[in-house]
Amino acid sequence: MGVFSKLESMMQGAVEGPFNRVFRTHLEPVELANKLTRTMEGHLQIGHDKKLAPNVYEVQLSKRDYTRFSAYAQSLQQQLSQALIDVARDRGYTLTSRPVIQFIESDSIVTGQARIECQTVDPRSIPANVGALPSGGLDETVSMSPEKAAALGQSGAPGANVPQQVPMPPAWLTLYRPARGNPMPFPGPVLHIGRHQSNDVVVNDTKVSRQHAVIRYENGQFILYDLQSTNGVGVNGVMTHNPVPLKNNDLVTVGSHEFIFQRR
């Protein structure tokens, strides 16, 4: 079972328990977990030998969702933090400490939605009572005030020894088969493809997994990653489960659908 499937099962199990009363028609824990994962992937710092993931996340919620989460905040934060650790371990990302997650109430957020901001913070700058360092155990995480989060972001000198990402050129996918479609521009350095509605490119095909693949911009090139899908991905007719660098006008196969990849 892939990490997304395990994550969804874990979160759905929580909903069937005490969370069922809280999240019946509002923001679901699994949706929040998906958003956190997408935020982490979109803010990786790519080095020659590692991919450094953010370790501090501020989750802005509507007043209604914030109130509903507050009674279970500590338990949910722990589960979300562990979910990010599981994804990072599964995909080979580096975390310098256990992810610290805080919930913030915001009047600008609509009920059922969330805005997430993240930072990569030097773990030595995290106070002992705000998340644990790797050597101090990874058993729990706690909320931070906005003031603490801002202080951490200013004090950690994050990514000082990590090369900066090369600016991403415009890129897009265009559906080629079973029908011609319009170009779909990349929303950022990570493009998610799958059957679930949370993906950037939603493929309604029973041969496609819910979270099937991502195309990620790394070190000046776009790389197609299979996300432990059942049927793999294809590039120019060759199916694989391995990462594949993409070239302009490559044909990408996902299930029964084919897309033309293009970049400037």
Side-chain angles (χ1 to χ4, degrees):
M1 181 181 292
V3 64
F4 273 103
S5 298
K6 292 186 289 185
L7 169 60
E8 187 164 11
S9 295
M10 178 187 73
M11 289 302 178
Q12 286 177 342
V15 172
E16 290 171 358
F19 289 113
N20 187 44
R21 300 187 302 271
V22 180
F23 303 108
R24 190 183 308 276
T25 59
H26 302 279
L27 186 65
E28 298 284 356
V30 68
E31 293 177 300
L32 195 52
N34 283 333
K35 288 177 181 291
L36 281 163
T37 299
R38 289 159 64 93
T39 300
M40 177 175 69
E41 291 190 320
H43 292 81
L44 294 173
Q45 298 184 53
I46 310 298
H48 292 297
D49 58 351
K50 66 180 178 180
K51 300 172 184 176
L52 184 63
N55 59 344
V56 175
Y57 297 81
E58 178 187 279
V59 181
Q60 300 177 26
L61 302 167
S62 69
K63 180 177 181 180
R64 190 171 185 179
D65 284 324
Y66 178 84
T67 300
R68 289 173 175 272
F69 275 120
S70 61
Y72 307 95
Q74 184 175 6
S75 173
L76 182 56
Q77 285 166 333
Q78 290 173 355
Q79 292 184 56
L80 293 171
S81 180
Q82 185 60 49
L84 288 180
I85 290 173
D86 291 343
V87 171
R89 182 182 297 118
D90 185 71
R91 300 184 184 175
Y93 305 155
T94 297
L95 283 165
T96 57
S97 70
R98 184 182 185 91
V100 175
I101 299 172
Q102 65 168 147
F103 295 149
I104 300 295
E105 181 182 334
S106 174
D107 293 334
S108 65
I109 304 298
V110 177
T111 298
Q113 301 296 318
R115 180 186 300 124
I116 302 176
E117 298 180 359
C118 64
Q119 305 172 65
T120 304
V121 174
D122 188 334
R124 293 171 296 182
S125 69
I126 301 179
N129 62 338
V130 183
L133 302 185
S135 59
L138 298 177
D139 294 328
E140 63 178 279
T141 182
V142 297
S143 295
M144 289 189 299
S145 66
E147 292 76 14
K148 283 185 178 180
L152 288 179
Q154 295 172 0
S155 65
N161 298 319
V162 178
Q164 294 298 308
Q165 175 68 285
V166 177
M168 190 185 86
W172 55 94
L173 285 181
T174 303
L175 180 63
Y176 182 65
R177 291 191 181 95
R180 296 301 294 266
N182 295 321
M184 295 173 283
F186 277 54
V190 181
L191 179 82
H192 296 255
I193 306 171
R195 188 161 42 87
H196 193 271
Q197 292 296 318
S198 64
N199 291 282
D200 301 304
V201 177
V202 179
V203 183
N204 187 15
D205 185 338
T206 57
K207 296 180 180 179
V208 175
S209 300
R210 290 165 63 82
Q211 309 290 343
H212 195 100
V214 297
I215 300 175
R216 184 177 295 115
Y217 185 67
E218 300 177 354
N219 297 325
Q221 63 181 343
F222 291 87
I223 301 178
L224 173 65
Y225 289 91
D226 175 70
L227 298 180
Q228 298 183 346
S229 68
T230 301
N231 297 308
V233 294
V235 177
N236 298 325
V238 179
M239 301 302 296
T240 183
H241 288 279
N242 298 320
V244 181
L246 295 176
K247 303 184 296 298
N248 194 38
N249 293 320
D250 274 348
L251 192 65
V252 176
T253 302
V254 179
S256 301
H257 290 61
E258 294 181 332
F259 300 85
I260 299 174
F261 167 79
Q262 293 175 298
R263 59 166 293 178
R264 289 182 182 170

